[in-house]
Amino acid sequence: MEADMVIGPRRLVEKLVDAVRISIPGRKSELVELSEWASGVTASVHDVRVALAGLTTSVSELKQQNADLRSLVARQRAELSEAVTTASRLRGQVDNLQKQVAELQSLEDRFTGLDRRFTNIAGDLASVIHPGKVTEDEHGHLDLGAAYADYLVRHVQPLVYLERTGGKPFDARGQAEVIAEVCQSLFGSEAAVPARLGQVLAAHKLVADRETLDELCAAAGRLRAEAERLGRDQRWEFSCPDDRYDPERQRPFVGSELGETAADVRVAFVVTPSYLVGDGKQIVPQQVFTVAA
């Protein structure tokens, strides 16, 4: 009996293998079977392997995304570099075109000047060779002169009868002064502008709508453009050398003081400019306001 209760060394080791005291964090030390502990370790190792495999996959995906981004950045840099090169080339072409345009404009100006000189010389030569004969260009200026005179009568002179915001009606001299300032605005050194013409009328307390101002300036612009096209140093002459009245080149404006002879009156101011071409050939005479000498 005692012999049966005696445990040999081999059996003792087997018992120790079957039951080992281990320490688990958070729990009191307890005896667990080695196979149970090994199973838990195996499960933990498996979980770590799964997590590691997931991290490996994520790292691989991030590496691929990084490679794709690098490729995209490199491609965009190349496209940007190409665009900069193209823009630089186009800028050079634009600069060259601007130079060519400037040269072309210079040539056109020179041609216009030569053409005008030729027209003037040809017109003067024709007048010398064929005195009294009207050339084709002069016919054009005569037609333009007639249109200019009609424009003054039908569109400019009626402005003095526009609605007035205050003051007495204009006397003859007042009417002439209004027309003189209007003509200076329409046919002076600067192009006709509705705003400036409106200011002239407003200064005399005359009210004109924008449509009227636009039409007046547009018509004056057409007359000036046609005169420029016809050439021969055409111009609207506002100057008067002195106050002597010249019946051959001037006409008294309606309401002026008159005399029996030209010496009986003097020119107070020019109302409407004459239209001259070439060396001073008169197409339309000046209208002047005269007073007793």
Side-chain angles (χ1 to χ4, degrees), residues 111-125 137 232:
F111 175 77
T112 300
L114 291 173
D115 182 64
R116 181 174 298 174
R117 290 173 59 189
F118 174 78
T119 301
N120 292 339
I121 293 172
D124 294 339
L125 182 62
D137 286 338
R232 292 201 64 190

Side-chain angles (χ1 to χ4, degrees), residues 173-192:
R173 183 168 185 139
Q175 292 182 1
E177 290 174 346
V178 172
I179 300 304
E181 292 184 29
V182 168
C183 285
Q184 186 66 50
S185 175
L186 295 172
F187 296 99
S189 58
E190 298 181 1

Side-chain angles (χ1 to χ4, degrees), residues 149-172:
D150 180 71
Y151 172 75
L152 293 176
V153 172
R154 295 180 58 187
H155 299 285
V156 176
Q157 294 179 10
L159 292 175
V160 296
Y161 302 111
L162 287 172
E163 179 184 354
R164 201 170 184 216
T165 57
K168 298 179 181 179
F170 294 111
D171 58 12

Side-chain angles (χ1 to χ4, degrees), residues 234-255:
Q234 76 297 330
R235 62 192 181 279
W236 278 269
E237 185 60 66
F238 286 89
S239 65
C240 183
D242 49 46
D243 63 355
R244 287 181 297 178
Y245 173 63
D246 183 357
E248 293 185 359
R249 304 186 68 82
Q250 297 171 329
R251 299 290 183 271
F253 191 75
V254 177

Side-chain angles (χ1 to χ4, degrees), residues 215-227:
E215 290 177 354
L216 282 166
C217 291
R222 289 192 293 269
L223 289 171
R224 298 178 67 155
E226 178 63 12

